[in-house]
Amino acid sequence: MGTWGMGLFDNDGAADLLDDLVAMPEDRRLGALRGVLSSAAAERDYLEAPEGEMAVAAAALIAAARADGTAPADPVHAPDLTVPEPPRKLAVLAVHALDRVLAPDSELAELWAESDGGQEWLAHLARLRAELSGGAD
């Protein structure tokens, strides 16, 4: 797992997603995030860690954009990246993607379950899920 911290963007998959988003016009970013979230949510087999990492980062970007309108994506790793305010249905899709990342057949969930920081990671995802769902499931 290419992880260097507990943060939602502190891994190789998130860094790759941020790099891709920075390179594209702002009006294409929501479509790219929808694609990442849709792929993760629709995976019926084993969800690999990089796809899970990207889905978590995409969900975090959606939550930030919904909370602040047009918000910087990640002030540390991509301070100039902004994402337009997404529609509610994209937040719903992000919740489904997070649920898939947390499922038993998810490599990312397995890796975190085996680590010392697993409970803290789960708490981060629970807060993110609550933000996306408006505090209620």
Side-chain angles (χ1 to χ4, degrees), residues 19-93:
D19 287 346
D20 290 346
L21 292 170
V22 166
M24 69 179 61
E26 185 173 336
D27 64 343
R28 293 189 48 223
R29 293 176 183 159
L30 286 180
L33 293 172
R34 182 178 296 108
V36 167
L37 295 168
S38 294
S39 291
E43 181 59 58
R44 297 295 167 235
D45 292 322
Y46 192 72
L47 182 66
E48 300 290 338
E51 288 77 15
E53 292 169 345
M54 291 192 316
V56 169
L61 294 173
I62 295 300
R66 285 189 54 81
D68 301 324
T70 302
D74 176 43
V76 175
H77 304 298
D80 298 325
L81 175 65
T82 57
V83 175
E85 185 172 355
R88 174 79 188 126
K89 65 183 178 182
L90 205 48
V92 171
L93 178 60

Side-chain angles (χ1 to χ4, degrees), residues 116-132:
D116 291 337
Q119 291 303 311
E120 187 177 349
W121 180 77
L122 288 172
H124 284 300
L125 266 58
R127 281 190 297 277
L128 176 57
R129 193 180 187 287
E131 288 176 36
L132 288 162

